[in-house]
Amino acid sequence: MCLGIPGQITAITDAARLMAMAEVSGVRREVNVACVAGNDLGALVGQWALIHVGFAMSLIDADEAAKTLEALRDLGEAQEALDQMAASDEALA
């Protein structure tokens, strides 16, 4: 089963490579936005997306993001994924 976790796009980091910074429950990670990019990459800043293996797979609204994060926390799956993301960020630092 694949798990997409809601993250909010906070900045475009490399427009040529379609890369952006996304924040997922306090963890910031660079993600590829090719799947959700339109003509104006700047319009993605502030948007919520489902993030899976470093890609923003689809855009969702803030209400859907909050409900999904709550459900994932209840299931305990989000914390495991966030721990893995944080560990990979530490390994890259």
Side-chain angles (χ1 to χ4, degrees), residues 5-79:
I5 298 194
Q8 189 171 32
I9 298 171
T10 60
I12 302 301
T13 57
D14 186 340
R17 292 181 33 234
L18 298 175
M19 299 299 288
M21 187 63 61
E23 185 170 325
V24 180
S25 294
V27 176
R28 294 181 60 192
R29 182 170 186 99
E30 194 171 43
V31 298
N32 185 290
V33 294
C35 295
V36 297
N39 291 333
D40 181 9
L41 288 180
L44 291 174
V45 175
Q47 295 287 324
W48 285 88
L50 286 177
I51 310 294
H52 177 65
V53 294
F55 289 86
M57 301 303 290
S58 64
L59 295 177
I60 59 174
D61 63 38
D63 186 52
E64 182 70 20
K67 288 177 182 176
T68 302
L69 283 169
E70 183 178 347
L72 290 172
R73 281 189 193 104
D74 289 346
L75 294 172
E77 294 176 9
Q79 189 58 51

